[in-house]
Amino acid sequence: MTVEALSELIDPELTIVVAACWVIGMILKGTPQIPNWTIVYIVSGAAIVLAMALQGFTLEVALQGLLCGAVSVYGHQLFKQTREAVRKNGEES
């Protein structure tokens, strides 16, 4: 799936929700009391709540929020995995 395809699925007004979820996820990751496996669920729930707060309480908005949460987690993993691969590759050289 391309970025263009995702931008067609997610309302541009909800870009702020993706950014907020990214920050929420980073804060949760740095909190020792929060198990890593729960972060995706917390971020997804927060995304749905934030999207609904911005656009109203409908099933479509809930799905938009879920997509925002998923994109934020996916984007974070892309960044993290790439950074780790580059760091590992630099150590081997």
Side-chain angles (χ1 to χ4, degrees):
M1 181 169 278
T2 65
V3 174
E4 292 82 25
L6 279 175
S7 67
E8 291 177 15
L9 292 174
I10 298 176
D11 185 338
E13 184 179 316
L14 296 177
T15 305
I16 190 70
V17 174
V18 174
C21 286
W22 190 308
V23 172
I24 291 168
M26 287 177 25
I27 291 169
L28 292 172
K29 182 71 175 164
T31 306
Q33 297 84 1
I34 307 283
N36 284 339
W37 66 269
T38 64
I39 294 173
V40 68
Y41 296 105
I42 296 168
V43 168
S44 297
I48 293 169
V49 169
L50 289 171
M52 287 182 152
L54 289 173
Q55 293 191 336
F57 296 90
T58 67
L59 180 59
E60 182 180 345
V61 174
L63 292 174
Q64 289 277 314
L66 187 60
L67 281 172
C68 289
V71 167
S72 71
V73 171
Y74 177 72
H76 177 266
Q77 284 300 305
L78 279 176
F79 179 76
K80 177 185 165 193
Q81 298 298 331
T82 302
R83 183 182 62 214
E84 287 177 7
V86 167
R87 187 177 299 144
K88 182 180 176 184
N89 205 10
E91 291 174 0
E92 292 177 357
S93 298

